[in-house]
């Protein structure tokens, strides 16, 4: 019998803290007195109304909360998990793997490791889980994500650094978890990944320990970042045609959401009807690698994600990287 992989559970943990776009702009004015910050700037440029902010919780803490919910939903004990993958932009530590911290907090004793590819980390972790399960290596893989992107905010900006620093103020915090299990029926049905690595300088967060000469903090050149995805979107569209798949005929479209205009532009270029997408950015901020599971969880709560629903996941990450995954829920 052929062995397939299927996403059987998804859960998220959203901290209680909220920071409005106005409050972000007020704090920016306070810390950057020489900078003129127009009222409503973040709303006009990014479509941001508010973002989710954790109060002192680490990425592993947020991920652990989501993992606990997934295990409860699946009625599983920690010993029944075969592999744990931690996949996120954020991290408690560089050494050891952050997955160890989540595993220790949850009492897991299975093998663990991290999957890191910026905002595509969770999508790549799904790719890894699918390959392991299809190969018969593991039957139950747990993917954990914890993002604390609000802590990358650059509050001291000048007119010359505003262009690459403003997007850092849109990051949000949350935890997410996905359970992928072996199945006799296809769940993760197809996927493809691509990259334009020449675009890596468009968005950077240098490691101060190993690259001390790099600019401190998160730097995002939005125009160059958007340009780095050109070509990736057309390759994704061509792949979907080869799969005889029209996203508008599927039950749900999930895509990375770094801003409202980005989502709008992507849908226009791909010919996707906006109502196929679950909007999240405007009320949460950029959730990094947790964006896709957040949309799946919201869709499930809204009754849009049911057994048999056909879904396409579009992943986009600085680098630039792209990925498309088709799943049957």
């Amino acid at each position: 019998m052929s062995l397939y992989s299927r996403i059987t559970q998804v859960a998220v943990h959203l901290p209680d803290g909220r920071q409005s776009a106005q409050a972000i702009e007020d704090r920016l004015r306070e810390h950057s007195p020489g900078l003129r910050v127009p009222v409503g700037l973040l709303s006009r440029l990014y479509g941001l109304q508010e973002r989710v902010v954790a109060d002192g919780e680490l990425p592993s803490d947020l991920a652990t909360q989501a993992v606990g919910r997934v295990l409860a939903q699946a009625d599983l004990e920690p010993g029944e998990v075969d592999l744990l993958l931690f996949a996120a932009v954020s991290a408690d530590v560089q050494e050891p793997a952050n997955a160890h911290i989540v595993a220790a907090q949850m009492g897991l004793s299975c093998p663990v490791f991290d999957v890191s590819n910026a905002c595509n980390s969770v999508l790549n972790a799904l790719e890894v889980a699918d390959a392991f399960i299809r190969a018969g290596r593991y039957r139950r893989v747990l993917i954990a994500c914890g993002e604390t992107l609000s802590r990358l905010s650059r509050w001291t900006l000048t007119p010359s650094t505003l262009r690459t620093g403003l997007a850092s103020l849109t990051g949000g915090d949350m935890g997410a978890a996905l359970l992928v299990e072996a199945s006799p029926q296809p769940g993760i049905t197809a996927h493809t990944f691509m990259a334009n690595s020449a675009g890596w300088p468009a968005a950077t967060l240098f490691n101060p320990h190993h690259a001390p000469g790099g600019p401190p903090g998160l730097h995002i050149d939005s125009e160059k970042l958007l340009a780095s995805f050109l070509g990736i979107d057309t390759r994704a569209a061509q792949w979907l045609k080869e799969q005889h798949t029209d996203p508008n005929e599927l039950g749900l479209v999930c895509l990375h959401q770094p801003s409202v205009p980005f989502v709008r532009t992507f849908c226009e270029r791909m010919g996707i009807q906006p109502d196929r997408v679950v909007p999240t950015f405007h009320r949460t901020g950029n959730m990094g690698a947790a964006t896709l599971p957040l949309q799946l969880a919201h869709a499930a709560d809204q009754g849009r994600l049911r057994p048999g629903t056909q879904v396409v996941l579009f992943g986009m990450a600085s680098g630039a990287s792209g990925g498309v995954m088709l799943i049957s829920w």
Side-chain angles (χ1 to χ4, degrees):
M1 178 182 295
S2 297
L3 198 62
Y4 302 97
S5 73
R6 177 179 292 275
I7 303 173
T8 58
Q9 300 289 340
V10 60
V12 298
H13 169 66
L14 292 170
D16 294 331
R18 297 293 185 273
Q19 188 176 38
S20 69
Q22 179 180 337
I24 296 172
E25 292 170 1
D26 288 344
R27 182 171 177 181
L28 178 60
R29 293 186 189 97
E30 178 184 353
H31 290 269
S32 303
L35 186 68
R36 180 179 176 274
V37 182
V39 175
L41 180 64
L42 294 176
S43 176
R44 288 198 301 273
L45 291 182
Y46 302 103
L48 184 69
Q49 297 178 16
E50 64 178 5
R51 64 176 177 175
V52 178
V53 179
D55 183 16
E57 294 170 289
L58 297 176
S60 64
D61 298 324
L62 299 174
T64 297
Q65 290 279 354
V67 166
R69 293 183 182 183
V70 155
L71 293 180
Q73 289 172 191
D75 195 22
L76 290 176
E77 296 297 326
E80 297 179 274
V81 176
D82 299 325
L83 175 69
L84 173 69
L85 305 176
F86 181 88
V89 176
S90 309
D92 293 27
V93 295
Q94 185 171 348
E95 184 181 350
N98 291 267
H100 283 295
I101 305 174
V102 177
Q105 291 179 346
M106 289 303 304
L108 301 177
S109 58
C110 60
V112 306
F113 62 90
D114 290 357
V115 176
S116 177
N117 186 18
C119 295
N120 266 356
S121 297
V122 164
L123 194 63
N124 283 124
L126 285 170
E127 178 191 21
V128 171
D130 178 57
F132 273 140
I133 290 174
R134 285 177 178 266
R137 183 66 181 87
Y138 302 105
R139 296 188 60 85
R140 186 174 286 131
V141 180
L142 187 57
I143 299 170
C145 177
E147 297 286 27
T148 53
L149 300 181
S150 73
R151 294 168 198 174
L152 301 181
S153 300
R154 292 169 56 196
W155 296 110
T156 303
L157 298 175
T158 66
S160 62
T161 60
L162 179 64
R163 186 173 63 87
T164 62
L166 194 60
S168 72
L169 304 178
T170 66
D173 308 333
M174 67 168 286
L178 295 156
L179 183 65
V180 188
E181 299 186 85
S183 169
Q185 300 297 325
I188 297 177
T189 56
H191 46 72
T192 187
F193 291 84
M194 58 213 78
N196 172 26
S197 297
W200 77 265
T204 58
L205 179 62
F206 282 87
N207 188 314
H209 301 289
H210 298 288
L218 179 62
H219 288 249
I220 299 178
D221 187 320
S222 297
E223 291 184 6
K224 290 184 178 180
L225 183 59
L226 183 61
S228 70
F229 289 116
L230 296 179
I232 288 180
D233 56 346
T234 55
R235 290 160 63 186
Q238 178 59 36
W239 181 80
L240 287 171
K241 288 182 180 179
E242 294 170 359
Q243 304 301 310
H244 307 289
T245 299
D246 180 353
N248 293 313
E249 295 178 356
L250 303 181
L252 185 66
V253 174
C254 298
L255 66 144
H256 181 54
Q257 299 185 22
S259 74
V260 172
F262 184 95
V263 173
R264 186 183 307 118
T265 299
F266 182 83
C267 287
E268 290 174 353
R269 290 184 61 86
M270 296 291 290
I272 296 173
Q273 299 170 4
D275 62 359
R276 297 287 88 192
V277 180
V278 178
T280 57
F281 176 90
H282 65 299
R283 296 299 301 273
T284 64
N286 184 348
M287 287 301 190
T291 303
L292 294 178
L294 174 62
Q295 291 168 68
L296 289 173
H298 279 349
D301 291 341
Q302 296 167 8
R304 297 179 59 182
L305 188 62
R306 299 179 295 273
T309 298
Q310 302 301 304
V311 184
V312 59
L313 306 177
F314 289 102
M316 288 157 281
S318 58
S321 294
V324 189
M325 181 172 288
L326 298 174
I327 65 175
S328 177
W329 196 256

